[in-house]
Amino acid sequence: MDWSDLGDFITELVGEAKDHLATIEPDLLELEKKGDAVDDELLNRLFRAVHSIKGGFNFLDIKPVGNLTHVMESVLIRLRDRKLSATPELVDCFFAAVDKLSIMVNDIESIDTIPIDKEILDLKPFEKMTADEQAKLAKKGDSKKTAKKTSKNKNVAKEKSKLSASDEKPKPAATAVETPTAKVQDEPEENLAEGKDEDGEVAIKTSVASESLRVRVSVLNRLMNLAGEMVLARNQLSSTVTGKGGQLQTMKDGIGRMEQSISRVAGVLELKAGGSASRDFIEAQLQVIMDEYQKIILRPLEDDPVLKSVMAQVDFLTSEMQENIMSTRLQPLGVVFGSIPRMVRDLGRTLGKSIEVEISGDEVELDKSIIETISDPLVHLIRNCCDHGIETAEEREKENKPSTGLIEVRAVHDGDRVMVEIVDDGRGLNPTKIKNRAIEKGLITRQEADVMPNSRLQSLIMAPGFSTADVVSEVSGRGVGMDVVKANIESLGGTIDITSSMGMGMTIRMHLPVTMAIIHAFLLRAGGLLFAMPQSSIEEFVRVRKRDIATKVESLGDSSVIRRRGRLLPLVHLADVLGIPRMFNFGKTLPGGTVAKDKENIEPDAMMIVVLKVGDYRYGLVVKEIFDYEEVVIKPVSSYLKRSNCYSGMTILSDGGVSMMLDSAGIADEAGLRFENLGDQEHEKSAASEADSSHNILLFKNGTNETFAININLVSRIDKIAVSEIITLGGKEYLNKKNKTTPVLRLENYLPIAKPEEDLDHYFFIEPKYSRFPLGFLATELLDVYESSEAMDTDVVAGAGVLGTGMINDTLTLFIDVFDLHDRFHPEDDLDSSNEKYLSDFRILLAEDSPFFQQVVKKFLSGVGADVVGVDNGQHAWELLNSGEKFDLLLTDVMMPDVSGLELIKRVRRDQRLKEFPCIIISMLATDADVEQGMSVGADRYLIKLDKDELLKSIAEVLGVEVNA
Amino acid sequence: MPKIQQFLSFKIGSRLFGIDIIAVKEVNSYVKVIPIPRTGETVLGVANLRGYLVTVLEPSIIFNVTSSADKEKTFKNFPCIILKTSAEVSLSLAGTPLANQLMPEVVGLQVDKIGEVLDIERGCIEPAPANMSGMEQRFLNGVVRLDGDLMLLVNLGELLSVDSLS
């Protein structure tokens, strides 16, 4: 059929029909669940949706849609009039009709070729059938599935209570529907069904004036690309303005060369003229020329305040615009979650299992492309749960589980990422089965399997070519396995992991980025080529001086390792993985005997190692050089370059060059690193050694005699900056670097200390973690990292902005309080001062072995009025809790001498009187496994140390205190 | 179908090739190609063309013909034929079979020398002979006899699908 003359009109109609179809599906599901108890509102909504579709298509004389919707409509009227009941048979027919409708709507061009006779014929009988006849029919159909039916009925009550808990708007009580009053209220809608001529109008009235517009995805994609290009152009512009590249740099280089030739000319003249007086004269004259040149050409470019402020504006607007464009592409997860209940219902019927699904986090938004990419994996995972996870009702009853299986799908924001979780209460993973399967498939050897802990075994099911189902069924196992799911998620820069305990069910947890457009990446050089590595994959950089390489880098056969904080990191040479010449080998002859011939081949004076993260594991990537980071727009890898796993994307750099984005997991894979071989012990050791760093403090100076200290865990980033990068806007100072404008805090303005004695050209800019707004303070000199914070004395000075003082290396050192500084720098967003001391009625017991952290946490809590008693180990805390002293809450660290935090909470939970006592863990150990362990011993919350906002919020929640925002 | 078809001619070594002009976006001799390790020798590298990333292929390797340019030509300016994407070609000529042969991404072909655009009558196109020493027949749509030379008409679909089917 040719619709070209109707053009936009059709597009609009199809769009509208799709919207309606999307509401019909969940409504049908609910109709089936509630059966005759369903309320009129829902039936009316269904009716309206079907009716609107019918109206629109009839208007354009598109018969097939009109015919099908007509039958649906008349059956719906009878349902609403309670002349029929919503039996599964009827709902099945409806689902079939809805599916057909959506096929037709999606392929409007060939609508005439789509057969609809079956759907119409199936629905037709219901137009005339009486309720009795229907009941008979239902019985006939049911006799086959009695077992299932009964188990279903048993759960109706439960289902209902769940629905009202999870639904946004609770439906009116089902009994009210039967009363005549309810019918009278529905009168206007009754007209809708009968007065056909008015229909069009009513349909329009019901669609609330919308505040949104349909925009073609292609337009948004184009906008997205343009915004990305704009960010790049902005970066290029700003590097020109700040003199890092382009014309200004060329000019500066030119001046340098001119100066050189001036002094050479002067030298020659001196010889000829034979007198220093004339040389001085000539030099002075030439200097005048130079100065004038600088004044005329360079200064206006370099120091132009207008240019700078315009640049700052462009910066701001570009970022703002880019963010907004990005947000137009965000879609709620409901788009994919919406189809899950229907799918689970259908699967349940096919498999003869009773499965219920609970969904939360519909409203969480992600970029459209991410939603599209996870849609298939999600469907696959849910299918797996239904097929392999959930047992049949009989099996479940034998295991003393409720006969209806439960699948929970949740989405929550988790920092700048989104966590999606699928939890089922089915049979879980069977480690022995996995083990045998993996050995059979040649994924691991018997020996490896024997030493492999269960947590590692579970991740094996995501290895390529693995499927645990005994029989490949119709539902899942159609060639795509968990490995494809994993690859899809990882291609987005996301992670996926599985935890399961046998017989209890399985949890699949995915962490996904919200958008994927612009990221921070560090530039690395290897083998003469430039590569980019996402900042999120990088743990730290390590520089090993040439003379230390022999002692610090150990060789094990062909491979080398480096010891970092008590654990061994395998080292991988990027050049080797990429198959390009290394160019240097630190004193050893290179394979193939490459000889140094140009500056590329000059041996660097140190080995540069980028420590990369792959899940919980780390390895070191050796490169020739590490450059600064850049904001880059990631573009998909060309289909011609997918042969190598090493790349996750391509990008254009601010200088116009092209670079490949490296993939830390892919490189590890190509290099043959097998992390699964590492035992859990190694893993725990590494976590513990990380926790040890909580005692490391950074010592620095601020241009005077005073020495300052800050805990290294509170530092997010340190940059060396030029004083010219600090700009003043509206009386405040900002650091304008890397297209980011960060407020600058000078310690002398907030602490009772002297000003730096002289102005320097360069400062160190220290940005703290956990601040609500970007902020950084200046230091003139970084001294050292000192281990242990025991030296702090908190009683001597506890002034504003200072936590305490201590003698370190025989020098009086001030421990600065970044949270206090932050609050005083941004007084307007100081949450505490606007609040009354809302914890003043509470007494909190704090178990923390580090005096530094004890002090910090006490300060946080006394700020809101709490009475805090601090102890330095779990044993002491336990004694106090038992002494009968009254406390309202226990805050405890995990790693403590004698009795650990976990042990402490275990004891508390075992005690009859303290069973319900509120306990919160605050720790530096932050992996999922740590959190799980903490929660499993009975903690109410598990928090990461030093995030003040989170701590106060959680305490208020646990104690049930209302905080006025 | 028009009787006259236009072809852009180019040379690799001593061989003369022609591609349908409709498939060509532009010819650019100033693209800087960055080599990408671990991607096979049929891919020369990636270049930035005014903010678009172009994957540049090495047709001489795919065709198995000797290029007169030396192997280090990445760093010199050899002409690069930038092809339209499948979406672009559909825009300029609706329903063209080229839409199925071109790629959804921007692809470039580095060649030794660019020649003229030639008007070829459909009737002059002959099937490619089987004895094309070393070069596979499937890469050609046909040949055209010119004065003293033979122009080989490139089958873009075959050329572009090499190595892109991972």
Side-chain angles (χ1 to χ4, degrees), chain A residues 144 179 224 324 669 916:
Chain A
K144 290 179 230 157
T179 66
M224 245 333 241
N324 275 299
D669 201 37
E916 305 283 324

Side-chain angles (χ1 to χ4, degrees), chain A residues 119-316:
Chain A
E119 285 75 18
I120 293 185
L121 276 177
D122 284 349
L123 274 174
K124 262 282 191 258
F126 291 103
E127 279 186 329
K128 307 233 167 58
M129 202 183 285
T130 63
D132 290 347
E133 284 168 348
Q134 200 194 2
K136 254 184 243 160
L137 185 82
K139 248 183 220 145
K140 231 195 285 167
D142 257 16
S143 56
K144 290 179 230 157
K145 316 167 186 164
T146 335
K148 200 180 86 202
K149 190 75 191 163
T150 43
S151 70
K152 244 201 150 108
N153 284 339
K154 251 189 257 168
N155 285 299
V156 167
K158 199 174 134 217
E159 271 168 355
K160 251 202 258 167
S161 64
K162 265 188 189 138
L163 262 171
S164 55
S166 63
D167 261 17
E168 290 166 313
K169 34 181 178 183
K171 306 284 180 293
T175 46
V177 177
E178 243 83 286
T179 66
T181 37
K183 278 213 171 135
V184 175
Q185 278 169 357
D186 285 337
E187 208 52 49
E189 257 133 53
E190 206 72 37
N191 290 340
L192 204 158
E194 278 139 29
K196 294 226 160 164
D197 288 341
E198 293 168 25
D199 289 351
E201 259 183 65
V202 180
I204 291 166
K205 227 190 285 169
T206 51
S207 70
V208 187
S210 79
E211 295 202 350
S212 56
L213 271 177
R214 272 175 217 283
V215 179
R216 266 179 237 281
V217 176
S218 60
V219 174
L220 286 183
N221 285 343
R222 182 98 192 99
L223 267 178
M224 245 333 241
N225 280 337
L226 286 175
E229 301 309 334
M230 181 128 180
V231 169
L232 291 179
R234 188 259 326 251
N235 292 353
Q236 284 171 30
L237 179 63
S238 89
S239 72
T240 310
V241 170
T242 52
K244 292 264 175 46
Q247 216 186 347
L248 198 58
Q249 191 57 49
T250 321
M251 284 185 191
K252 278 185 176 166
D253 293 348
I255 288 181
R257 281 195 296 275
M258 280 163 80
E259 266 169 343
Q260 277 175 15
S261 61
I262 284 174
S263 70
R264 254 181 261 137
V265 168
V268 173
L269 284 175
E270 188 182 21
L271 281 179
K272 288 228 167 116
S276 61
S278 55
R279 181 204 155 122
D280 287 348
F281 173 74
I282 293 160
E283 253 192 354
Q285 288 307 307
L286 287 171
Q287 198 53 53
V288 171
I289 300 174
M290 286 297 308
D291 288 350
E292 286 304 309
Y293 178 80
Q294 293 225 9
K295 218 183 286 168
I296 297 164
I297 313 261
L298 266 183
R299 290 269 158 69
L301 273 174
E302 205 170 20
D303 297 335
D304 188 348
V306 179
L307 193 61
K308 274 205 170 163
S309 72
V310 169
M311 192 59 229
Q313 279 273 22
V314 170
D315 257 7
F316 175 74

Side-chain angles (χ1 to χ4, degrees), chain A residues 577 638-640 643 647 656 670, chain B residues 37-38 40 48 51 55 105 160 163:
Chain A
V577 176
S638 155
S639 51
Y640 294 97
R643 185 183 286 193
Y647 309 122
E670 296 259 330
Chain B
R38 295 292 296 270
N48 171 9
T55 309
E105 58 181 294
L160 296 180
D163 265 0

Side-chain angles (χ1 to χ4, degrees), chain A residues 636-649:
Chain A
V637 182
S638 155
S639 51
Y640 294 97
L641 308 177
K642 283 189 180 150
R643 185 183 286 193
S644 171
N645 286 331
C646 299
Y647 309 122
S648 61

Side-chain angles (χ1 to χ4, degrees), chain A residues 619-726:
Chain A
Y619 70 96
L621 186 69
V622 182
V623 296
K624 167 128 191 230
E625 270 178 283
I626 298 170
F627 300 91
D628 206 349
Y629 74 98
E630 258 194 35
E631 257 179 350
V632 296
V633 180
I634 307 186
K635 313 215 166 184
V637 182
S638 155
S639 51
Y640 294 97
L641 308 177
K642 283 189 180 150
R643 185 183 286 193
S644 171
N645 286 331
C646 299
Y647 309 122
S648 61
M650 324 204 272
T651 187
I652 298 178
L653 305 174
S654 64
D655 66 358
V658 180
S659 166
M660 298 301 283
M661 292 294 300
L662 296 173
D663 179 6
S664 63
I667 292 173
D669 201 37
E670 296 259 330
L673 292 183
R674 292 186 65 181
F675 296 117
E676 275 81 6
N677 294 345
L678 285 170
D680 267 359
Q681 278 180 340
E682 184 66 23
H683 173 54
E684 270 160 29
K685 207 161 75 193
S686 65
S689 67
E690 244 151 63
D692 281 349
S693 71
S694 66
H695 296 296
N696 290 351
I697 51 177
L698 172 74
L699 301 178
F700 63 91
K701 288 212 170 233
N702 190 35
T704 55
N705 281 331
E706 288 132 323
T707 303
F708 300 90
I710 178 173
N711 191 288
I712 203 92
N713 285 303
L714 293 176
V715 177
S716 144
R717 189 183 157 85
I718 301 175
D719 263 311
K720 191 175 180 186
I721 59 159
V723 77
S724 62
E725 288 172 309
I726 299 177

